[in-house]
Amino acid sequence: MKNTATFLLLSAAIVLLGSCNHGPGNISIKKTKKRQPVNYANYIIEIITCKTRKDIRRAEYVRLDSLVQQLYIQKQPGYISSESGVDQKGNWLVVLSWDNLAHANTGQQKFLQNPLWAGVQKLIDTTTLNRKRFVVKEDHSTSLKDQKPFVIELATFKEKRQVVRDTFEKRDQQVEADYISRQTGYITRRVGVAPDGERLMMIYWKTLADADNGMKEFLKEQSVADYAKMIDWPTLDLKRFQAVN
């Protein structure tokens, strides 16, 4: 019986041969340059998490993730950028940015009909697959080009009910400028909000130690105590992923 790795290579070759004018001995993969968010405003961040099957090696998933991004995702209308990562518990993360919701929906629906999706299903535990989208109203983040390796700190949460949304967002911007962006190992930050009011905060750090220290210092810092009190802490879900691909 052919193993999973062989299946993936054959699937990738079929897609390549069907979409390129290469001969069987000259298959190549062209890298697509990542683009920054259109106007840095009103775009979609899609957060996808999952676990791989127990018998799957890390290298197999990384290989497939790279193929999916190069052969499919980066070629879709509205695609902006993507990052992938894995945490210490083996949870995988894919962050996709789209210029609007329609393109995000189309990209997802078309992928389910793509041969590469069959390869993904062979590697992941589909019961753990989770997907959520957040709208970014304004993005002042810097480019991640040439920044690897880096750590993605992903936090989702809600503010307390009595907190006015605009008040929270204004204070959030101040805290980023005056405190978060000045921490050791800080690279950049992206924030968004889901239709149900859940907030997304992704901070990109140089190392896991920088991320750990950043949270410890934040909890002790008196200058941001008022901001911390706006957060509904029981709703906080915090994860950290080492970037791959």
Side-chain angles (χ1 to χ4, degrees):
M1 182 179 290
K2 295 184 179 180
N3 58 29
T4 303
T6 302
F7 172 83
L8 294 177
L9 290 174
L10 289 173
S11 297
I14 290 171
V15 175
L16 278 168
L17 290 171
S19 59
C20 305
N21 293 320
H22 295 290
N26 297 300
I27 296 174
S28 63
I29 299 173
K30 294 183 179 180
K31 292 186 177 180
T32 302
K33 185 178 180 181
K34 293 183 179 180
R35 301 185 294 278
Q36 286 297 313
V38 178
N39 298 324
Y40 297 91
N42 296 318
Y43 70 98
I44 303 296
I45 290 180
E46 187 169 23
I47 302 296
I48 304 168
T49 56
C50 68
K51 277 184 173 290
T52 54
R53 297 180 186 274
K54 293 182 180 181
D55 59 335
I56 300 303
R57 294 175 299 173
R58 171 172 171 161
E60 282 187 271
Y61 180 84
V62 172
R63 165 71 174 167
L64 178 60
D65 179 69
S66 180
L67 287 173
V68 169
Q69 292 198 36
Q70 294 177 41
L71 300 180
Y72 178 77
I73 295 175
Q74 295 177 8
K75 297 181 178 181
Q76 300 311 300
Y79 166 82
I80 295 172
S81 66
S82 60
E83 297 95 41
S84 299
V86 61
D87 70 9
Q88 294 178 327
K89 296 181 179 180
N91 296 298
W92 290 90
L93 167 73
V94 177
V95 180
L96 300 178
S97 296
W98 303 91
D99 62 359
N100 60 53
L101 184 59
H103 281 142
N105 286 335
T106 300
Q108 177 187 351
Q109 292 165 3
K110 287 174 59 180
F111 182 62
L112 297 179
Q113 308 301 320
N114 190 286
L116 286 170
W117 172 235
V120 172
Q121 290 178 293
K122 293 285 187 178
L123 299 192
I124 70 170
D125 178 355
T126 55
T127 65
T128 67
L129 184 63
N130 185 59
R131 182 191 306 266
K132 191 153 190 176
R133 291 167 179 164
F134 299 83
V135 177
V136 180
K137 294 197 300 184
E138 189 172 6
D139 184 359
H140 299 286
S141 65
T142 58
S143 173
L144 292 167
K145 183 180 180 181
D146 301 324
Q147 286 288 349
K148 289 182 179 177
F150 57 83
V151 170
I152 306 171
E153 182 175 66
L154 190 155
T156 55
F157 61 93
K158 289 186 177 183
E159 68 266 29
K160 292 179 179 176
R161 291 185 178 181
Q162 64 269 29
V163 176
V164 177
R165 173 169 292 186
D166 289 346
T167 300
F168 179 88
E169 292 177 351
K170 182 178 180 179
R171 185 68 180 112
D172 179 72
Q173 292 175 4
Q174 293 173 337
V175 169
E176 176 182 10
D178 299 338
Y179 180 76
I180 298 176
S181 63
R182 301 185 180 188
Q183 299 310 297
T184 301
Y186 171 89
I187 298 174
T188 193
R189 188 182 80 131
R190 300 164 69 192
V191 297
V193 62
D196 63 0
E198 184 176 38
R199 293 192 176 278
L200 169 72
M201 182 189 298
M202 291 193 299
I203 303 179
Y204 296 78
W205 302 93
K206 291 182 179 179
T207 68
L208 182 59
D210 291 330
D212 287 337
N213 291 332
M215 177 56 74
K216 290 177 182 177
E217 294 302 316
F218 175 81
L219 295 175
K220 295 187 296 183
E221 177 60 38
Q222 288 302 308
S223 68
V224 297
D226 63 315
Y227 172 74
K229 289 179 180 178
M230 295 182 187
I231 297 172
D232 185 1
W233 287 95
T235 68
L236 176 68
D237 184 19
L238 178 68
K239 297 184 178 71
R240 291 173 180 141
F241 300 84
Q242 184 69 50
V244 298
N245 286 335

